[in-house]
Amino acid sequence: MIQVTVLAISDLTIQHRKTMIVQNIEMSVDEGDWFALVGESGSGKSVTAAAIGGLLPRELKAASGSILLDGKNLVNLKERELRKYRGTVISYIFQDYQGAFTPFMKIGAQLDEMLRTHTNHSKKERKERALHSLKLVELPEERVYNSYSFQLSGGQLQRAAIAMAMILEPKLLIADEPTTALDSMTAANILQLMADLKEKAGCAVFFITHDLRHVRKYANKVAIMRNGVIVESGMKSNVFHQPKHEYTKALFEAIPSLRKTSARLSSHL
Amino acid sequence: MRVVGQEILTVKNLSKEYVCGHKAVDQVSLTVNKGECLGIVGESGSGKSTLARCLLALEKIDEGEILLKEKSLYNANKKSLHPVRSEIQAVFQNPSASLNPKLKIIDSLMEPLDFQRKIQPSFLMDIRNQRTKMAERLFEMVGLPSKYLSYYPHELSGGQKQRVIIARAISIEPALIILDEPTASLDVSIQAKILNLLKDLQEDLGISYLFISHDLAAVNFMSQRIIVMKQGQIVDQCSKHDLFSDRRHPYTKDLLHVFEA
């Protein structure tokens, strides 16, 4: 089977004035991949994710390198051009699921707005498609369609955010710490849902986290980032079984283990 | 030396229903012994934080009994709570919300000692009247450089702020500290450091902990006994060594499965 590359980042450097935030990073995500970018606060992982969709804050600039999405370079593309990609080819979900919806409109109306902007569907088709997308994320579709965001729980809202992100069948779903604000059971369910949707839709997932535990089950490729540099990357099985970099090893050791309990956690980071 | 067996906190049949009719805590009974860490694990909405708020007398309870060092907290009024308040402290998830942004760190840190003049913590006895010296010693205990004392909260990282909160919680040498998701907003490496610090302090000072989290692995690391809550009720409890026993409640097994996946 020929692997189709969805996203190829090469030699990307992002600067804030003279300070390097992200330095010469390389990564490539193929169709069907679950690519995990792992790092701590301040490592540059969210900045990298923002750069892909052209969501960098004004003070940050891509100083060099390229971000190829489906072969088209997105670096320094005009906002008007970028808008055609966001939502349709790339979509995002974030840690802050409350920020995904405005509290002033019902969820259904916000899904409808997205479809109205990007498709030529009739009103009836749009409603059908919106309901279908909510059903795919295992929500009670009629009720959620008619609800405001504050009427849903955290886990339900994140599901609705995933429904909105997936409704136009993007090629790349960027998930920036999607489960960090959720409890562990809900988080496990959300990750399973993302995995199922990925299989059905055949898209790629670009998954950002600081917790290696979330990477173990679903990712097939991993990159570990620290201080704006990728210190180690490769297939998950290699990185997990034979971590080469000291930092990767330290990240594993900092996580409390259920079976091997020690008096103190390793904290050589 | 730790005296094992002495009950610091006793909760009997505690229930709390919110006005909307939602029973957040339903007939919960538990005890925390001196020098022990009792872990409570559960999902969002399982009632673990409401339980914490009831124990801190921040919520009125509907039914049941709370005894802290044999003194009843049951819907006590503000004045009679005053002496009890110095026996119980709390560390919450969001350290930024626990520090007044307009106060220098030293002023937030020293508030309990400034206002409770009678309290003589064993580790501050020799310098009880020297405010800066006490602050410096507290900072030393939690591994912060004393230059941060004159900073404002926004100049500190999340992990540093959480250390300040921990220093403030231990400052009056309480019998019990309630730790409600103290590391949920921190990176894994910072979490490891904070959990280690909490363990060090517990061993040095003999304070009891009630450690509340949805992270079973962290609860297991910190606690000698573990309680599992679901929909306001205790569905399972065991000593740390029996966590993998076949007798565990199906829900506990589900939780274990999530963390071992």
Side-chain angles (χ1 to χ4, degrees):
Chain A
M1 201 178 101
I2 306 160
Q3 288 285 2
V4 184
T5 303
V6 178
L7 174 76
I9 297 180
S10 50
D11 197 32
L12 180 70
T13 295
I14 299 169
Q15 286 184 326
H16 175 248
R17 298 203 183 96
K18 292 264 160 74
T19 324
M20 305 266 214
I21 308 291
V22 167
Q23 266 185 67
N24 310 98
I25 59 166
E26 310 265 341
M27 51 183 86
S28 134
V29 182
D30 295 337
E31 215 172 76
D33 270 352
W34 181 303
F35 182 95
L37 182 59
V38 183
E40 296 184 86
S41 311
S43 61
K45 58 192 192 306
S46 290
V47 167
T48 305
I52 297 169
L55 296 175
L56 284 177
R58 201 170 294 164
E59 312 84 67
L60 300 185
K61 286 261 147 47
S64 71
S66 62
I67 301 172
L68 294 180
L69 187 81
D70 252 2
K72 171 114 177 151
N73 192 357
L74 300 183
V75 170
N76 301 329
L77 213 60
K78 288 216 172 67
E79 179 60 28
R80 185 192 294 258
E81 286 283 308
L82 270 171
R83 249 182 248 156
K84 289 184 204 151
Y85 287 88
R86 281 198 299 258
T88 52
V89 189
I90 325 165
S91 64
Y92 283 89
I93 53 172
F94 296 101
Q95 174 178 346
D96 174 24
Y97 44 77
Q98 274 154 344
F101 295 97
T102 165
F104 301 109
M105 282 163 71
K106 288 182 178 167
I107 303 288
Q110 296 183 59
L111 290 169
D112 190 67
E113 182 183 83
M114 178 117 178
L115 290 168
R116 221 166 46 223
T117 312
H118 291 285
T119 68
N120 300 318
H121 291 341
S122 70
K123 197 175 171 189
K124 190 166 158 256
E125 282 171 331
R126 291 201 304 267
K127 179 156 186 190
E128 270 168 18
R129 198 157 168 189
L131 287 172
H132 180 66
S133 77
L134 290 171
K135 200 173 169 184
L136 279 179
V137 295
E138 293 155 25
L139 286 171
E141 64 268 24
E142 284 287 348
R143 182 166 81 78
V144 172
Y145 188 88
N146 290 307
S147 295
Y148 290 98
S149 60
F150 52 82
Q151 293 170 315
L152 304 178
S153 73
Q156 287 176 324
L157 257 186
Q158 193 61 293
R159 279 173 193 269
I162 292 173
M164 181 141 97
M166 297 297 289
I167 198 168
L168 294 167
E169 293 164 0
K171 292 201 164 147
L172 182 67
L173 173 67
I174 300 175
D176 190 351
E177 304 245 13
T179 60
T180 306
L182 301 170
D183 70 66
S184 36
M185 288 288 256
T186 316
N189 293 335
I190 290 284
L191 292 178
Q192 184 59 50
L193 171 73
M194 281 171 57
D196 294 344
L197 288 177
K198 180 184 86 78
E199 287 308 310
K200 273 184 211 151
C203 66
V205 171
F206 189 88
F207 179 68
I208 293 179
T209 183
H210 68 265
D211 194 336
L212 280 165
R213 279 181 294 197
H214 291 149
V215 177
R216 197 173 303 157
K217 196 164 173 188
Y218 299 108
N220 63 329
K221 288 180 184 167
V222 187
I224 314 279
M225 201 166 181
R226 186 190 202 186
N227 297 333
V229 181
I230 290 180
V231 297
E232 181 163 1
S233 65
M235 300 308 284
K236 179 190 66 180
S237 46
N238 294 338
V239 176
F240 269 56
H241 292 125
Q242 291 154 323
K244 289 194 185 71
H245 200 278
E246 285 308 312
Y247 181 68
T248 315
K249 291 178 196 165
L251 268 184
F252 277 112
E253 285 166 7
I255 300 169
S257 154
L258 273 181
R259 297 273 183 183
K260 285 182 285 177
T261 48
S262 49
R264 292 293 180 273
L265 298 166
S266 165
S267 55
H268 304 303
L269 289 161
Chain B
M1 269 306 287
R2 252 195 262 179
V3 187
V4 181
Q6 193 188 340
E7 286 182 9
I8 294 295
L9 177 77
T10 310
V11 177
K12 284 179 200 153
N13 305 325
L14 175 70
S15 291
K16 165 77 191 172
E17 194 176 308
Y18 283 112
V19 186
C20 56
H22 174 63
K23 210 159 200 182
V25 178
D26 192 2
Q27 295 288 323
V28 165
S29 301
L30 55 89
T31 55
V32 182
N33 297 319
K34 185 161 171 52
E36 178 193 42
C37 178
L38 175 68
I40 298 186
V41 65
E43 293 174 71
S44 317
S46 62
K48 53 196 198 307
S49 291
T50 302
L51 175 65
R53 292 179 59 81
C54 291
L55 298 180
L56 290 162
L58 296 171
E59 297 279 358
K60 290 232 186 273
I61 64 174
D62 299 328
E63 210 183 302
E65 198 169 20
I66 304 171
L67 293 171
L68 185 69
K69 276 193 158 178
E70 292 163 358
K71 278 170 275 186
S72 176
L73 290 187
Y74 179 74
N75 294 349
N77 60 29
K78 261 192 173 164
K79 204 173 168 195
S80 61
L81 271 176
H82 205 243
V84 190
R85 287 248 194 251
S86 63
E87 296 285 4
I88 187 163
Q89 289 286 307
V91 177
F92 293 110
Q93 175 175 349
N94 182 356
S96 306
S98 302
L99 292 170
N100 185 335
K102 292 184 179 173
L103 288 186
K104 284 191 174 157
I105 293 294
I106 185 169
D107 295 320
S108 286
L109 171 69
M110 296 305 288
E111 212 171 276
L113 286 166
D114 285 346
F115 286 96
Q116 310 223 34
R117 307 296 310 179
K118 283 186 204 142
I119 291 176
Q120 300 276 349
S122 60
F123 48 90
L124 296 172
M125 208 97 92
D126 51 328
I127 49 170
R128 182 63 181 92
N129 294 317
Q130 294 158 281
R131 190 169 186 260
T132 318
K133 277 210 168 145
M134 283 194 294
E136 283 167 6
R137 186 172 293 172
L138 285 168
F139 259 35
E140 201 187 310
M141 292 171 82
V142 298
L144 283 174
S146 52
K147 65 173 182 191
Y148 290 152
L149 284 168
S150 57
Y151 285 29
Y152 286 93
H154 72 267
E155 296 172 283
L156 268 54
S157 71
Q160 288 165 340
K161 275 184 264 197
Q162 203 60 301
R163 281 175 196 264
V164 175
I165 312 289
I166 292 168
R168 183 171 65 186
I170 61 164
S171 70
I172 53 170
E173 209 173 11
L176 176 71
I177 300 182
I178 293 180
L179 304 158
D180 189 357
E181 302 269 13
T183 60
S185 62
L186 305 173
D187 274 332
V188 277
S189 67
I190 312 294
Q191 158 170 304
K193 287 177 183 156
I194 295 286
L195 293 181
N196 285 341
L197 171 69
L198 286 167
K199 265 202 163 178
D200 290 341
L201 289 169
Q202 184 173 40
E203 280 172 19
D204 292 346
L205 305 173
I207 299 174
S208 306
Y209 289 157
L210 190 69
F211 185 86
I212 299 174
S213 176
H214 69 261
D215 185 341
L216 183 58
V219 167
N220 184 50
F221 168 71
M222 286 297 292
S223 320
Q224 285 87 49
R225 287 187 300 130
I226 298 168
I227 280 177
V228 183
M229 278 186 80
K230 192 185 183 191
Q231 292 170 354
Q233 294 176 327
I234 294 180
V235 294
D236 199 2
Q237 51 186 319
C238 63
S239 91
K240 169 196 200 127
H241 308 289
D242 291 334
L243 193 57
F244 292 98
S245 148
D246 266 348
R247 285 171 293 141
R248 292 280 67 79
H249 190 275
Y251 181 67
T252 313
K253 289 181 181 167
D254 283 351
L255 275 176
L256 284 168
H257 184 71
V258 165
F259 280 89
E260 291 204 299

